Amino acid sequence: MGMLEPITGCVHLAVEGGCGGTTWGLQHARRVLGEGQHVVWICEEIPDGGRFSQLFADISPIAVSKLHLSAVGENTDVGIKSAIDLLNALENIALVVVDDWTKKSGKPSSDLRNSMQALISTCNDKGVSLIAISSAYEDANASGWKARGSLKGCETWFLHRGKIDSMLRELHVDGAVTEYMLGDEGFTPRK
């Protein structure tokens, strides 16, 4: 199985469209579930069933039952509030993922940003890791990739396609680039 380094704290993952952001989040969720801990997953739509089955094939049904998945349509704000309630009710949550927390164009509303900041604060207080996934965009001035919406208290990472191979992905963190191959089992470091 492909391995990714565990996330600590808050990461805002800004992703080029169709690049595997959901898979990246699911792969982190798989690791946490495999350790017997709970994951809260907030999304607009339930992840693709085929992809989910591939990534979770080796995880027991009991472990998968610890995935608290909430598909909220365009009501991301409601899902975030639900995640905060779960964090306050359960002690064994180790990861929260908000997949596509912003729309693919435009700026997030101030209400949504405020909800995300409340979630970040709650996760920090509880010592729970958070991955907030959003669409990245290329700046019109050709100055590189930008994240849609900024989140205080989160590191911003960028994930996009490599130029050489259609399955190559580049993760940009603090000026360093790590290359991964994206396959059926998720991301594996490029050798």
Side-chain angles (χ1 to χ4, degrees), residues 1 38 153:
M1 287 284 186
H38 289 249

Side-chain angles (χ1 to χ4, degrees), residues 38-52:
H38 289 249
V39 174
V40 175
W41 185 284
I42 307 300
C43 56
E44 189 172 310
E45 301 175 8
I46 292 176
D48 176 74
R51 190 65 171 140
F52 189 89

Side-chain angles (χ1 to χ4, degrees), residues 146-173:
K146 302 285 183 188
R148 205 165 290 290
S150 64
L151 296 172
K152 292 178 185 154
C154 279
E155 293 182 55
T156 301
W157 298 359
F158 293 91
L159 180 67
H160 56 82
R161 286 179 183 78
K163 294 175 177 61
I164 300 169
D165 183 329
S166 65
M167 298 314 288
L168 180 67
R169 300 295 186 262
E170 295 177 350
L171 180 65
H172 294 253
V173 179

Side-chain angles (χ1 to χ4, degrees), residues 40-47 67-80 82 97 99:
V40 175
W41 185 284
I42 307 300
C43 56
E44 189 172 310
E45 301 175 8
I46 292 176
L67 175 64
H68 305 276
L69 193 141
S70 183
V72 294
E74 294 184 8
N75 300 312
T76 304
D77 200 32
V78 171
I80 292 168
S82 171
V97 179
D99 192 12

